[in-house]
Amino acid sequence: EEAAALLEAAGYPRRPEQTAREFAQGVAGARPELAPALRLADLHYRELYDPRGLAEEDRRRAAELLAELKSELRRRRPAPV
């Protein structure tokens, strides 16, 4: 959810009918350097639907991916999605 909020604030609007994965795919398609959004979407779904949740390693990876995404957003201007 934090990643989606960051992307929207950076000018990448999410359409109401888009799933988290569809939104991430659209953003990464427009800006390949924002591909961490795709992995974050996958981890988001695992956290929501896997009864085991996320392992600590996955949580650390999610934090790293979010940091990468933030860094790229600071450097890049939005492209139409």
Side-chain angles (χ1 to χ4, degrees):
E1 295 300 320
E2 185 178 353
L6 287 168
L7 290 165
E8 288 193 41
Y12 298 93
R14 180 177 174 181
R15 295 187 314 271
E17 72 276 8
Q18 284 181 306
T19 66
R21 187 170 287 122
E22 290 168 338
F23 179 51
Q25 286 171 335
V27 169
R31 293 285 191 201
E33 65 274 10
L34 298 179
L38 283 171
R39 183 70 177 119
L40 282 166
D42 289 340
L43 290 170
H44 171 71
Y45 282 117
R46 281 195 33 220
E47 183 174 38
L48 286 176
Y49 300 113
D50 187 333
R52 296 168 292 171
L54 291 179
E56 188 58 36
E57 180 181 327
D58 291 327
R59 291 184 187 283
R60 280 193 299 274
R61 183 64 184 137
E64 291 168 1
L65 289 165
L66 190 59
E68 288 176 35
L69 189 61
K70 287 178 182 179
S71 177
E72 285 297 334
L73 287 170
R74 282 192 294 269
R75 287 190 275 179
R76 308 284 182 192
R77 297 182 53 98
V81 179

